[in-house]
Amino acid sequence: MSGLLNGVRVVELASWTYVPSAGAALADWGADVIKIEDTRGGDPCRALVVGGLDPARSPVQANYMMELGNHGKRSIGVDIKSERGHEILGKLIANADVFLTNWLPGPLERAGLSVDRIREFNPKIIIARGSGHGSRGPERERGGFDGASYLARAGVAYALTPPDAEYPIAQGPAFGDLQGGITLAGGVTAALFHRERTGHAPIVDSSLLAQGMWAVAPDIAAADYYDIDRIPPNPAGTALNPAVNRYKTRDGRWVQMMLLQADRYWRGFCERIGRADMATDERFVPLANLVVNHETATAELRKTFAERDLADWQKVLAEEPGVWATIASPQEVLDDPQVAANGYLMTLTDSAGKAYRTVSAPVQFDETPAPPSRSPEYSEHTETILLELGMDWDDIVAAKDAGAVL
């Protein structure tokens, strides 16, 4: 069932992608997520330009970054710093199950949204906070983005950059944000379960720093166990187990082999790729010998894979029982039949009738994909939400005239 959280209401006071993507996941799972946007422009992600891809020039009348982090929500424009706007926010919180935010402690305090003040509105609300560096410590008030707090500070770039690289690796947009968002969404659902069982509404905290540390936890643990900087990397393109390596095909594509149990798969793999000679070569069996002679084995496999195009190798390896994959481009992922079979993409239509796709949250229930849902327009649902709060049209007009809402 995709509506596992039907009846749960989330009030989200957040921008960019990290915490909003947690709200998108909760919406995918059935929650009613109300996104609060400021009356002076809304979420700055609406105007974000990544890689020169200006949303204003998109062939699709939708912002792909907003869709990823905000599909399935409703948007209300509120000036929460005004007296009337703060009162409206209080009513929203009073009728919600979760308050989801990426605001730092200082701004929350100044906006009258400390934990104590929030619970004056609703003592049973779950407060979920996503930050750059955690809710405690000397930098609790310091903002963060995934390129700094996740990739750089948490050790991700250091752990993943090849030792001979001129520059540290860079990440794509929202790489750490989206991983952090799904983690935060999982924390919210655990808190909802706990509240259902005990009546206690916990505070949920996660951060980009914590998420990055989780991503490279083996390197961090090894650094402590062995007093080293990170797990010793192999030179680019090599691996101690040549059956866990990537190989370039004749047409310039790559195949990633992941035969972790080489002794189990080596013979069949070698025979399948036309290298039966390697299957019984004492230099390469058992695995201990393969590791000792990994440079020789890797050179042989590189030569073999370079003799055919990717399409040929996909046919040859179609019945391979060990794990392998083509290194796919994002365009190829869009048309992957396995992706389609599992409903990992939502297909939507913009106002001009043009179809576009966005990625769903990566967790489903009862094998049911989330129903397709778009990101809301800025302040699209203001009047509807205010009516749900019991305000009449005279009250709404007065609030608009006062600048408290859009």
Side-chain angles (χ1 to χ4, degrees), residues 172-397:
F175 186 79
D177 289 340
L178 292 166
Q179 296 176 60
I182 196 66
T183 297
L184 184 56
V188 169
T189 57
L192 287 166
F193 177 76
H194 177 76
R195 189 186 68 175
E196 185 71 17
R197 293 283 296 272
T198 69
H200 171 246
I203 298 172
V204 180
D205 276 303
S206 191
S207 71
L208 291 169
L209 175 59
Q211 188 69 37
M213 291 176 64
W214 186 245
V216 291
D219 286 273
I220 294 173
D224 185 53
Y225 283 36
Y226 298 98
D227 192 24
I228 57 177
D229 227 6
R230 63 175 180 177
I231 297 172
N234 295 304
T238 68
L240 287 178
N241 177 359
V244 181
N245 201 2
R246 50 204 178 278
Y247 294 99
K248 194 173 185 179
T249 63
R250 185 171 58 188
D251 54 346
R253 298 299 304 276
W254 293 87
V255 175
Q256 175 70 59
M257 301 305 305
M258 288 296 297
L259 308 184
L260 293 175
Q261 296 173 289
D263 286 337
R264 177 180 178 185
Y265 296 110
W266 181 254
R267 176 184 289 271
F269 166 66
C270 290
E271 292 174 350
R272 200 166 285 110
I273 66 172
R275 293 301 307 269
D277 58 308
M278 296 181 68
T280 56
D281 192 319
E282 292 183 355
R283 294 174 299 171
F284 309 142
V285 290
L287 175 60
N289 291 349
L290 181 62
V291 170
V292 170
N293 297 290
H294 69 275
E295 291 181 357
T296 301
T298 298
E300 291 295 323
L301 290 174
R302 283 175 178 165
K303 181 175 67 174
T304 299
F305 273 91
E307 292 172 351
R308 302 189 190 188
D309 292 344
L310 175 62
D312 295 330
W313 285 119
Q314 289 173 327
K315 294 175 183 177
V316 168
L317 295 171
E319 302 302 322
E320 170 60 49
V323 175
W324 68 278
T326 300
I327 295 183
S329 73
Q331 282 190 323
E332 289 171 327
V333 175
L334 283 171
D335 297 318
D336 187 325
Q338 192 65 16
V339 170
N342 284 279
Y344 291 155
L345 289 167
M346 293 179 178
T347 299
L348 301 161
T349 305
D350 69 11
S351 57
K354 184 175 179 59
Y356 66 95
R357 287 171 285 184
T358 193
V359 182
S360 303
V363 179
Q364 296 178 357
F365 304 97
D366 291 336
E367 299 184 353
T368 303
S373 58
R374 62 173 178 82
S375 173
E377 298 294 333
Y378 176 33
S379 190
E380 178 180 350
H381 304 96
T382 295
E383 291 88 353
T384 300
I385 293 169
L386 295 178
L387 289 169
E388 290 174 358
L389 291 177
M391 295 178 64
D392 60 29
W393 281 107
D394 289 339
D395 294 332
I396 294 172
V397 170

Side-chain angles (χ1 to χ4, degrees), residues 27-60:
D28 278 358
W29 303 338
D32 175 18
V33 181
I34 298 175
K35 182 179 182 70
I36 298 171
E37 300 194 69
D38 187 75
T39 55
R40 289 175 289 276
D43 191 332
C45 190
R46 291 185 179 278
L48 180 64
V49 176
V50 177
L53 302 176
D54 187 346
R57 298 180 179 179
S58 170
V60 174

